[in-house]
Amino acid sequence: LDPINASTSGTICLCDPIPISHYSYQYLFNLFLSPQQQSMLPNFRLIFTLLGLISVIRSSFSFIIHNTSISTTTSTSTSTTSRSMSSSTFSACELSSHPSALPGDPSLNLVTNIDLGDKKLDFMKACSKAIQEATGKPESYIAVTVSDNASVIFGGSDDPTALGNLYSIGAISMESNGAIHNSISDLLEPYGVDASRMYINFFDMERANVGWNRKTFAG
């Protein structure tokens, strides 16, 4: 600080580069030059003041550039993360991953002699949801096909009935199989199909025996 020109509080505002430069260089002039010598060098005082101002502006500019760079990097990172998390039937990550790392099907084939009418699509979606809940598999991998108004008999009778096959890579167990049969029985009950008149066969598939995306789930 300039012992001659500093304020009584001893505080100098860092936001004001010209007074700081002026005080600093004025102190050097007073320290090394006599008043007579100082009067002979007025231009040097101006030059030193301008150099101080340029230094402060340069530092401020560097700070702005640095912050802009950080902001741009953060924005790019956030955008990339958002794209990677966007939902679709199969994400780019899933499509590019090795098939052996993916969960695979299940798929349900159901045949019944009842007429589902315009409720067929809703019925199929409900079956898909029931399979997802019972197996824990992502619904994006679950496939369902239903053939209604088919020629099917059970116990020698053509009373309302249904036959199904469910295939899955894993997630085949007594608990999950029973849960699926129970859920589909509930869905068919309003159409007159008794739970005792429906078989669903469950097949635990090897990855090499399930094809998907131009290859198998084994690779």
Side-chain angles (χ1 to χ4, degrees):
L1 295 176
D2 179 8
I4 298 173
N5 297 314
S7 65
T8 56
S9 65
T11 302
I12 294 178
C13 178
L14 295 179
C15 300
D16 190 355
I18 296 179
I20 292 174
S21 301
H22 174 72
Y23 291 148
S24 301
Y25 292 117
Q26 181 65 52
Y27 175 69
L28 293 176
F29 279 125
N30 291 343
L31 185 63
F32 295 106
L33 300 176
S34 66
Q36 291 80 10
Q37 291 173 320
Q38 291 182 39
S39 65
M40 297 173 62
L41 300 172
N43 291 334
F44 281 96
R45 234 182 251 176
L46 177 60
I47 291 172
F48 287 143
T49 300
L50 291 175
L51 286 175
L53 178 60
I54 291 171
S55 176
V56 171
I57 292 174
R58 181 180 170 186
S59 297
S60 299
F61 184 72
S62 298
F63 178 77
I64 293 171
I65 293 297
H66 178 68
N67 280 355
T68 301
S69 176
I70 292 175
S71 177
T72 302
T73 302
T74 303
S75 176
T76 302
S77 176
T78 301
S79 176
T80 302
T81 302
S82 297
R83 286 195 301 269
S84 68
M85 294 180 66
S86 61
S87 61
S88 60
T89 303
F90 294 104
S91 68
C93 179
E94 288 176 309
L95 292 173
S96 62
S97 296
H98 194 275
S100 63
L102 300 175
D105 59 352
S107 57
L108 171 67
N109 299 321
L110 187 68
V111 181
T112 180
N113 58 0
I114 63 172
D115 184 1
L116 294 171
D118 58 1
K119 302 294 185 181
K120 185 173 182 177
L121 180 59
D122 291 336
F123 175 84
M124 294 170 66
K125 289 182 177 180
C127 288
S128 178
K129 189 64 177 176
I131 295 169
Q132 185 274 320
E133 292 174 352
T135 63
K137 298 261 187 156
E139 194 170 8
S140 57
Y141 287 90
I142 296 173
V144 174
T145 180
V146 175
S147 299
D148 60 346
N149 289 315
S151 299
V152 187
I153 63 172
F154 191 109
S157 167
D158 64 353
D159 290 344
T161 186
L163 298 175
N165 294 319
L166 187 137
Y167 306 87
S168 178
I169 300 174
I172 296 294
S173 67
M174 183 177 68
E175 292 77 13
S176 62
N177 297 351
I180 291 171
H181 193 285
N182 183 64
S183 295
I184 295 178
S185 294
D186 287 343
L187 294 172
L188 286 172
E189 191 173 39
Y191 297 94
V193 179
D194 189 89
S196 63
R197 290 184 56 79
M198 178 176 65
Y199 288 138
I200 298 181
N201 301 299
F202 297 88
F203 300 89
D204 194 348
M205 304 296 294
E206 296 290 335
R207 285 184 172 272
N209 295 334
V210 182
W212 173 77
N213 198 27
R214 299 178 182 271
K215 60 189 81 172
T216 72
F217 277 103

